[in-house]
Amino acid sequence: MRSGKIGRAAVIVMAAVFFTCGSRGDEQPLVILAAASLSAPLDSIITGFKTETGATVHVAYGGSGTLAQQIRSGVAAHLYLSADVAWIERLASAQEGFVSSWRTILSNRVVVVTAVDNDVELSRLEDLADERFRRVAIPDPELAPAGWYARAALERIGLYERLRTRLVPTDDVGAAAAAVRFGVVDVGIVYVTDAQAYADLRVLLVIPDSLHPPIRYGVATLAEAEACRWTDEFLAHLRRPATEAIFKAAGFIVAVDSAGVEIR
């Protein structure tokens, strides 16, 4: 029997709605929707930006697909940072014109992790079929890019269907990491940046890039962006060497493709 999904989609929806209900005074806060895997470095980057500029910034994290669905449903935001540019491309191609411009900013790696006090070992991805791994956390491939990359890798080696009854789907990669950290599952598939963010996680295996499509994070300027004076300043802030250093320290690969795409 497949386990129920672990997630926090309802919390994300409530947070996003709360953030966009308006602000006191004439100045509109900058509202950002961002992939859960970006939370640690982006929180630090936003703190620095607020200190430097005096801006008010609200951010909601979640699975990139979940956030894209919220944008489609009318949640007002200025910037969308996705762990897969495919979600941005879908929004950009929509008749409603959700995206005005976007660019690729980062890449990542997917890894198999376990709790630091778990002495289990894994020499190759195929070994997940072993009975030692009874429960495997994976972000929902329909909502979170990390899960899509994980599924692609497992399908490439013919293992995905064999593991279906053991997979514990989560709404985003942060929830998958939490499931491992708190002993809900034996192992999980997350980004290397998530593994690096938690001292109680241990990397068992780095999944070869050849087993899944390229990982490309993007930042999109949404239709609401012109209403906030801070949008362009924050985009410029993301390009600064100090900001890129924060991403690199968190384990990200920076500036995979800095060329932007303007939507006409």
Side-chain angles (χ1 to χ4, degrees):
M1 181 176 177
R2 189 175 180 178
S3 302
K5 183 184 291 184
I6 300 172
R8 52 187 179 185
V11 175
I12 296 167
V13 172
M14 291 172 63
V17 171
F18 173 76
F19 289 155
T20 57
C21 283
S23 60
R24 296 178 181 178
D26 297 328
E27 189 171 280
Q28 187 173 125
L30 177 65
V31 180
I32 301 171
L33 302 181
S37 54
L38 290 169
S39 60
L42 195 58
D43 279 346
S44 177
I45 290 165
I46 289 172
T47 296
F49 180 73
K50 291 193 296 184
T51 299
E52 181 178 314
T53 64
T56 300
V57 182
H58 297 311
V59 59
Y61 295 106
S64 296
T66 300
L67 298 176
Q69 291 172 6
Q70 291 177 11
I71 293 168
R72 284 185 178 279
S73 68
V75 170
H78 306 115
L79 294 174
Y80 167 48
L81 280 74
S82 173
D84 184 0
V85 297
W87 285 109
I88 296 176
E89 290 173 331
R90 290 168 192 161
L91 290 173
S93 64
Q95 296 297 319
E96 294 86 349
F98 295 108
V99 172
S100 57
S101 65
W102 66 273
R103 66 184 179 91
T104 301
I105 56 172
L106 302 167
S107 186
N108 211 332
R109 303 290 301 277
V110 281
V111 298
V112 182
V113 296
T114 191
V116 71
D117 58 356
N118 188 341
D119 61 2
V120 70
E121 296 296 338
L122 182 70
S123 60
R124 56 184 191 138
L125 192 59
E126 288 84 350
D127 291 340
L128 281 180
D130 192 284
E131 290 300 321
R132 295 173 297 160
F133 306 107
R134 296 167 297 172
R135 291 166 63 80
V136 180
I138 178 175
D140 189 335
E142 300 299 321
L143 299 175
W148 183 66
Y149 298 127
R151 176 174 178 169
L154 292 172
E155 287 179 336
R156 184 72 177 271
I157 62 174
L159 197 57
Y160 185 74
E161 290 301 324
R162 290 176 61 189
L163 289 182
R164 286 291 289 268
T165 58
R166 302 191 207 173
L167 296 180
V168 179
T170 68
D171 278 352
D172 57 50
V173 70
V180 179
R181 295 173 61 218
F182 298 123
V184 177
V185 297
D186 302 299
V187 295
I189 301 179
V190 300
Y191 290 120
V192 69
T193 49
D194 297 289
Q196 187 169 318
Y198 299 105
D200 51 359
L201 286 181
R202 180 170 64 91
V203 175
L204 293 175
L205 179 75
V206 177
I207 297 177
D209 293 339
S210 59
L211 294 182
H212 58 75
I215 298 174
R216 298 169 62 209
Y217 284 65
V219 56
T221 303
L222 303 178
E224 300 280 338
E226 292 184 3
C228 180
R229 60 165 290 198
W230 301 113
T231 303
D232 289 341
E233 287 191 45
F234 189 78
L235 287 172
H237 191 78
L238 287 177
R239 291 179 177 268
R240 293 171 61 174
T243 300
E244 293 186 347
I246 293 173
F247 280 127
K248 289 178 180 178
F252 286 95
I253 302 166
V254 175
V256 178
D257 174 16
S258 60
V261 179
E262 296 290 335
I263 310 301
R264 302 297 182 185

